[in-house]
Amino acid sequence: MNQATAVHGEKISLLRVLGPAHVWALGVGIVLVGEYMGWNFAVGKGGAIAALIACWAAGLLYTCVAMIDSEVTSTVAAAGGQYAQSKHIIGPLMAFNVGLYLVFAYTMLEAANAITLGYLVQTVGQMAGFAEAHDKPFIVLTIMFLAWLNYRGVYATLTVNLILTAIAFIAIVILFTAVKPWSTELLNHKEILNGLPYGWIGVLASLHFGLWYYLGIEGTCQAAEEVRSPARSLPLGTMTGIMTLLIAATMTWYLCAGLMPWEYLGQATTPLFDAARLTSSMPLMVLLFVGTMFSTLASANGCINDASRAWFSMGRDRYLPTWFGAVHPKNRTPFRSIVFLVPVALIFAYFAPLDQVITFSILSGLLEYTYMSIQVIFFRQMWPLDSIKRGYVHPFHPLPALVLLAICSTTYFAVFLGYGTQLIAMMVFFIVASLWFHFHRYKYVRRGDQFTMNWPRPRGY
């Protein structure tokens, strides 16, 4: 079992206490907030129809991600998820980069959740007559409280996520049913929808924020060392998670696009809550206020869990200072990594605009998925199906990897259309970080300790 050194020098491991429901709650809990906010910026890029096309194209991308991830993770059952996979399949430099992509994707998503929750509380407070209500204290309180919860233990953290996520998903279903999608009493798609106002270039641009519907589902494999039966629980939790999200995304688009003009929907901060307000039903408004709040809490909670596991794994493997590779002797959590990432999330949540934070998270995820498509091809070549036991085998290989690579490449161009400067700045940052690792940190890495799986020698080596 993989272990880490605790405060007093003894070897302490992470606890294996999670089942498939916790894996589902981790994946869907991180992502479901994408239905409550962020996705609608795709409407502003190309109109409501373009956002629907982007929703389904992104759904195809993440179905490929879920399938590939389920196979590789059922074999590489180690904390760090895609980082651990890269370490075993490709090598240290790729693993270092993938680890950074994971940390930034989840930490920026955590910051976006805190921004949304703060805005929601401020809006509802002002509606209730508290004109002085401000979002900043709630942003700080959210991040600090959830970091403390993660510090205390993984079982309690993801059990809370399971409850919050279930309530947030049920809230979407209730709102969808309440607006009577079979009638035109409240929904008015015929008059509101206006085709493609910016043509097919608008559809392409919409891909950028279309990813937000599903970003983070791959986080299920971050808990690989804390799942009781990784070969069964990880594929089951991940695949049921992506199915849940595809349903929720389509329902969300349908009811929001039928209630709000695309010009407003494309810039709304909390579209589902706004949709509930347009029904003039106080119970629905309260329900969607609770659903939005719970979805942001569940997402930020899961993001702290995933980012800290990736950072912890890199410290344990000496890709970062080993100080980060410690496990709390009582709570059995990567407590130093959890605490270290708190100020990073706070800085972005406090000072950066929501769309910029979302874009940072999306770009980090895109880079990770690009590597994933290449990595699985190497994995199948080096360890064919008959060489090691897999808990799940994804079908039609290498088609999912090629589709994933094609959609990722298209989405880079979509991001460049609106956020070219940020795209270039991020690429420069990761290149500089790679140079730092290659010329400074690599000498501390113990290559012989990298391979913790009991695999046969790769074919051709």
Side-chain angles (χ1 to χ4, degrees):
M1 181 183 291
N2 290 319
Q3 296 175 315
T5 305
V7 177
H8 302 294
E10 69 269 23
K11 297 288 186 179
I12 299 178
S13 63
L14 299 171
L15 283 174
R16 289 193 179 276
V17 293
L18 306 178
H22 292 99
V23 175
W24 176 90
L26 176 60
V28 177
I30 289 174
V31 185
L32 193 63
V33 72
E35 274 64 34
Y36 280 89
M37 65 89 172
W39 69 269
N40 53 298
F41 293 145
V43 177
K45 290 284 187 179
I49 297 295
L52 178 62
I53 297 171
C55 167
W56 287 342
L60 177 60
L61 182 153
Y62 279 95
T63 301
C64 294
V65 166
M67 286 169 30
I68 292 169
D69 232 8
S70 294
E71 175 173 336
V72 183
T73 309
S74 70
T75 309
V76 188
Q82 292 79 12
Y83 155 77
Q85 298 169 17
S86 299
K87 183 180 68 172
H88 283 81
I89 298 168
I90 305 295
L93 182 59
M94 184 174 182
F96 173 77
N97 276 280
V98 170
L100 281 186
Y101 303 154
L102 288 168
V103 170
F104 279 107
Y106 294 127
T107 304
M108 294 306 102
L109 178 50
E110 174 195 346
N113 291 321
I115 292 170
T116 303
L117 188 142
Y119 170 85
L120 180 67
V121 173
Q122 176 180 310
T123 300
V124 173
Q126 291 173 350
M127 288 171 60
F130 298 97
E132 300 299 319
H134 203 274
D135 59 339
K136 300 302 184 185
F138 294 100
I139 288 174
V140 175
L141 183 63
T142 298
I143 292 174
M144 296 296 290
F145 169 73
L146 293 176
W148 172 82
L149 184 63
N150 275 268
Y151 188 99
R152 295 290 296 170
V154 68
Y155 187 80
T157 298
L158 295 189
T159 299
V160 168
N161 251 39
L162 180 60
I163 297 168
L164 297 179
T165 302
I167 293 172
F169 180 74
I170 290 169
I172 296 176
V173 175
I174 291 174
L175 178 61
F176 183 78
T177 305
V179 299
K180 300 176 182 176
W182 55 85
S183 75
T184 58
E185 183 179 335
L186 289 172
L187 300 179
N188 194 11
H189 292 94
K190 188 174 182 180
E191 291 187 17
I192 290 178
L193 294 182
N194 64 333
L196 301 173
Y198 304 126
W200 285 99
I201 194 69
V203 174
L204 183 61
S206 296
L207 268 177
H208 174 185
F209 290 106
L211 267 62
W212 198 246
Y213 275 115
Y214 316 97
L215 184 76
I217 184 62
E218 71 280 0
T220 52
C221 62
Q222 296 298 319
E225 279 185 39
E226 295 155 288
V227 174
R228 289 189 294 267
S229 176
R232 171 180 173 271
S233 298
L234 291 170
L236 180 59
T238 303
M239 296 308 292
T240 53
I242 191 63
M243 285 186 258
T244 303
L245 293 167
L246 286 165
I247 294 168
T250 304
M251 288 195 302
T252 299
W253 177 90
Y254 188 82
L255 65 91
C256 287
L259 284 169
M260 288 175 271
W262 74 276
E263 295 91 345
Y264 175 81
L265 180 58
Q267 51 83 45
T269 302
T270 52
L272 276 175
F273 177 66
D274 291 349
R277 291 173 66 184
L278 288 171
T279 66
S280 302
S281 167
M282 183 56 70
L284 283 177
M285 287 172 58
V286 173
L287 178 64
L288 268 295
F289 168 73
V290 172
T292 304
M293 207 161 67
F294 279 11
S295 70
T296 56
L297 287 171
S299 181
N301 196 28
C303 287
I304 294 171
N305 179 89
D306 285 357
S308 63
R309 266 64 183 176
W311 199 257
F312 155 79
S313 298
M314 294 170 74
R316 183 177 59 180
D317 295 335
R318 297 174 178 267
Y319 287 57
L320 296 171
T322 54
W323 186 82
F324 293 114
V327 175
H328 195 282
K330 179 182 177 182
N331 299 325
R332 309 282 283 275
T333 55
F335 66 110
R336 289 176 182 165
S337 296
I338 292 170
V339 172
F340 176 79
L341 292 173
V342 167
V344 179
L346 282 173
I347 289 170
F348 280 91
Y350 206 90
F351 296 107
L354 180 60
D355 63 328
Q356 295 283 345
V357 174
I358 288 176
T359 298
F360 200 161
S361 182
I362 287 173
L363 282 172
S364 299
L366 263 181
L367 289 164
E368 173 200 339
Y369 309 145
T370 304
Y371 277 99
M372 187 187 296
S373 62
I374 299 167
Q375 187 171 277
V376 73
I377 293 173
F378 276 95
F379 180 60
R380 281 288 188 97
Q381 288 177 344
M382 296 164 70
W383 289 280
L385 295 181
D386 58 351
S387 62
I388 54 176
K389 185 178 179 181
R390 292 156 163 85
Y392 170 83
V393 177
H394 78 273
F396 310 119
H397 178 79
L399 184 60
L402 297 176
V403 170
L404 176 58
L405 184 59
I407 300 177
C408 283
S409 302
T410 306
T411 310
Y412 283 121
F413 181 67
V415 174
F416 181 78
L417 289 176
Y419 294 82
T421 302
Q422 190 171 352
L423 174 61
I424 294 169
M426 280 191 62
M427 293 297 188
V428 170
F429 168 78
F430 285 121
I431 290 170
V432 171
S434 297
L435 292 173
W436 172 83
F437 176 78
H438 178 76
F439 290 106
H440 172 69
R441 193 68 208 174
Y442 181 73
K443 61 178 176 285
Y444 298 104
V445 177
R446 295 176 179 172
R447 288 301 303 273
D449 295 342
Q450 300 302 295
F451 305 98
T452 57
M453 305 310 299
N454 186 25
W455 290 353
R457 194 173 185 84
R459 181 165 294 183
Y461 287 80

